[in-house]
Amino acid sequence: MSTRVTKKVLMAFALGVVLQSVVLAAEEPSSIAISFVESSRSSDSIPPVTAVGLRWNADEQPAAPKACDILILFDTSASQAGLFRSDAERILSGILNNSRPQDRFHVVAADVSCSPLGNNFVTANETMLQSTLLAIEERTPLGTTDLPGIIAEASGLFDDSPRPRSIIYVGDGPGVTGIEAHILYEVTELLRTRRITFSAVGVGPRVNWQALAALANATGGMLLVPDSSDAMKQAGHDIGHLAIQSVWWPENTVFSNVKEPISLLTLPTRMPPLRADRDSIVLVEDALEGATIDLTLVPSETLPADEHNGLSPIQPTRVAVPRSVPLPENTYLEELVRNAASTGGVFLPLLGKEGLDIAKSVIRGEASSLADLSKQAESAGAHGSAFRLATAALRRDPDNVDASLVRSVAVARLQDPFADDAAPSSDNNPAFQEGPGAGLDGNDDFADLEAMRKVRSQALQ
């Protein structure tokens, strides 16, 4: 056999080995599961939006890390007085009384600054709990909660231990001023860089659950908001258990469409960490037909591969996105993207499928409120404002019958040449504009924009 023939045989053999390994790799079950896919219908002017839920594959669910370091931020601001302080203490007791013996805790008083109530991380016991509660009682509830500054300062209290790190916040979140987008982004990036998950139990006169959910979503944490004082200790027990579960941090995430192999815009712009007990949700401006997701997963703990159920510490993964049927009831996804695009989705409180359902109900509630406002505007003879308000309601809920009826009536009145505020035609009438800067985004005599803000605030409350 000649040398040339030998080389051809070897090359064919090598190619066969490569192809076989590729097939085997493709047949291996992915550690990532697509739990659901929802898509809105596209139009000539609006691209479809798809919500994708990912979580750790239940068949390969990793066990909780053997030992963790948990830093508890106990809110001692002015809003945490009286009954709310007592509720927060019940939550703290629930966390510490039900902790594992191998986990370490550090409790910090949080208001305008970060004040540690101990010297370092220690295992929880009755003596530690009682001394912590005594230190809390000595603090008068004063000031506001500078949550971003507190988190930044508290994150430096962790030592160099390879244990997974978690923050549990007990309080009502940032004050009335909230958090600016760039500050929230910096805080989440700090936590992501240091592999620190943020979880919270909301307690107080007015819990800023949106901000707490956004922080938990971006860092692989969880959020509980108990509805009664009797549920506080159980909430502490539950959040203590949820805060120590395994979290995997995605890096180099790319959504690709097979038909058009380009990277797609996602919100939030950074893929949230993945857990096995809830979905991590991203919104994509595309139908995602034949799309794939490529990402690299990094665990919170720095341990050998055999400590991760045989999984390597850094695991490249590819998963195919199943095809979804676009539905008109998913139009709320377009409103989510419209509201979140300017900030990169940093405020999206999509904490699992439950968080997405809450967002859907809030947007549907906005639609109902806007439909009511449109009826009032039409009754008052403000047909242009009625049209814009009804159009905004239908953007959120295309099935809203009241908004559809008001819109039809307003169009007829605006095109009626005998009407007092009739318009020559829909082509040059600002009331019919639906693009950027039109409708609720413009200025008119009915103060549509201010009405929209009030509706959103009331709906979220």
Side-chain angles (χ1 to χ4, degrees):
M1 183 180 294
S2 67
T3 303
R4 181 177 301 177
V5 173
T6 303
K7 288 183 178 180
K8 288 184 178 180
V9 172
L10 291 175
M11 290 176 63
F13 176 75
L15 180 60
V17 172
V18 171
L19 290 175
Q20 184 180 10
S21 63
V22 169
V23 171
L24 291 175
E27 293 176 352
E28 290 180 358
S30 173
S31 55
I32 304 301
I34 302 291
S35 49
F36 72 92
V37 182
E38 294 182 359
S39 298
S40 66
R41 288 182 175 177
S42 61
S43 64
D44 294 337
S45 59
I46 302 175
V49 175
T50 302
V52 182
L54 301 93
R55 66 167 62 192
W56 197 264
N57 195 328
D59 297 333
E60 301 182 19
Q61 180 173 343
K66 293 181 178 179
C68 300
D69 284 347
I70 301 100
L71 191 147
I72 301 176
L73 297 179
F74 190 93
D75 196 324
T76 55
S77 64
S79 64
Q80 301 297 301
L83 178 61
F84 301 118
R85 171 66 71 86
S86 300
D87 287 344
E89 290 177 353
R90 293 189 185 96
I91 294 170
L92 179 62
S93 299
I95 296 172
L96 298 179
N97 283 333
N98 296 280
S99 63
R100 302 184 303 179
Q102 65 268 34
D103 294 329
R104 301 188 305 176
F105 294 84
H106 196 359
V107 183
V108 173
D111 40 59
V112 294
S113 61
C114 173
S115 302
L117 301 180
N119 295 326
N120 46 38
F121 285 87
V122 297
T123 56
N125 53 50
E126 187 63 27
T127 301
M128 179 263 196
L129 174 60
Q130 293 304 319
S131 63
T132 301
L133 292 175
L134 287 174
I136 290 173
E137 289 179 3
E138 294 177 356
R139 295 185 65 88
T140 303
L142 293 173
T144 59
T145 306
D146 177 19
L147 191 58
I150 291 166
I151 292 176
E153 187 176 353
S155 64
L157 297 176
F158 288 98
D159 55 28
D160 296 330
S161 169
R163 297 176 173 214
R165 306 168 177 180
S166 179
I167 289 177
I168 300 178
Y169 168 78
V170 181
D172 54 0
V176 293
T177 57
I179 306 177
E180 295 184 13
H182 71 280
I183 295 178
L184 182 59
Y185 178 80
E186 291 173 358
V187 170
T188 55
E189 283 301 297
L190 174 65
L191 293 175
R192 290 179 68 105
T193 300
R194 298 183 178 180
R195 300 281 187 264
I196 301 173
T197 64
F198 177 91
S199 299
V201 181
V203 56
R206 182 175 295 179
V207 176
N208 189 338
W209 64 268
Q210 299 97 320
L212 297 179
L215 276 167
N217 179 54
T219 60
M222 298 290 275
L223 170 64
L224 300 178
V225 183
D227 55 3
S228 67
S229 295
D230 296 335
M232 296 298 166
K233 272 198 174 182
Q234 184 62 41
H237 169 274
D238 294 342
I239 202 67
H241 172 74
L242 295 169
I244 61 173
Q245 299 306 305
S246 294
V247 175
W248 290 74
W249 304 79
E251 300 290 348
N252 307 319
T253 304
V254 177
F255 280 73
S256 299
N257 196 314
V258 174
K259 292 185 178 180
E260 298 180 9
I262 58 174
S263 298
L264 304 173
L265 173 64
T266 64
L267 294 175
T269 53
R270 294 284 301 271
M271 168 75 76
L274 303 184
R275 299 172 61 106
D277 53 359
R278 72 161 171 83
D279 301 306
S280 296
I281 299 173
V282 288
L283 306 178
V284 188
E285 282 193 319
D286 193 88
L288 292 185
E289 293 186 11
T292 59
I293 307 174
D294 293 276
L295 67 163
T296 301
L297 296 172
V298 182
S300 293
E301 60 267 49
T302 307
L303 296 173
D306 58 359
E307 296 289 346
H308 296 291
N309 297 336
L311 301 175
S312 58
I314 299 178
Q315 182 180 1
T317 302
R318 167 172 286 186
V319 59
V321 180
R323 184 180 182 276
S324 63
V325 178
L327 299 173
E329 65 188 45
N330 294 330
T331 305
Y332 77 97
L333 296 173
E334 299 169 8
E335 187 66 16
L336 277 176
V337 170
R338 186 181 294 111
N339 293 335
S342 62
T343 59
V346 68
F347 283 116
L348 283 173
L350 306 181
L351 199 60
K353 187 62 166 64
E354 295 80 2
L356 186 65
D357 291 339
I358 290 174
K360 181 178 182 178
S361 65
V362 167
I363 292 174
R364 288 285 180 96
E366 287 181 357
S368 297
S369 299
L370 286 166
D372 291 339
L373 288 173
S374 69
K375 288 192 292 185
Q376 296 174 20
E378 181 61 30
S379 299
H383 308 298
S385 294
F387 173 85
R388 287 188 291 272
L389 289 163
T391 300
L394 291 171
R395 278 207 313 260
R396 291 154 177 79
D397 182 7
D399 299 326
N400 191 294
V401 178
D402 291 339
S404 180
L405 179 60
V406 170
R407 191 177 189 274
S408 298
V409 173
V411 167
R413 292 293 296 168
L414 287 167
Q415 293 178 335
D416 184 357
F418 298 102
D420 294 336
D421 57 352
S425 70
S426 60
D427 295 334
N428 56 8
N429 184 358
F432 289 92
Q433 297 178 13
E434 297 186 45
L440 290 179
D441 297 324
N443 296 318
D444 58 55
D445 57 344
F446 198 66
D448 293 331
L449 180 58
E450 186 60 29
M452 180 60 230
R453 288 174 177 169
K454 290 180 180 179
V455 167
R456 185 180 297 278
S457 176
Q458 293 169 4
L460 287 174
Q461 290 181 24

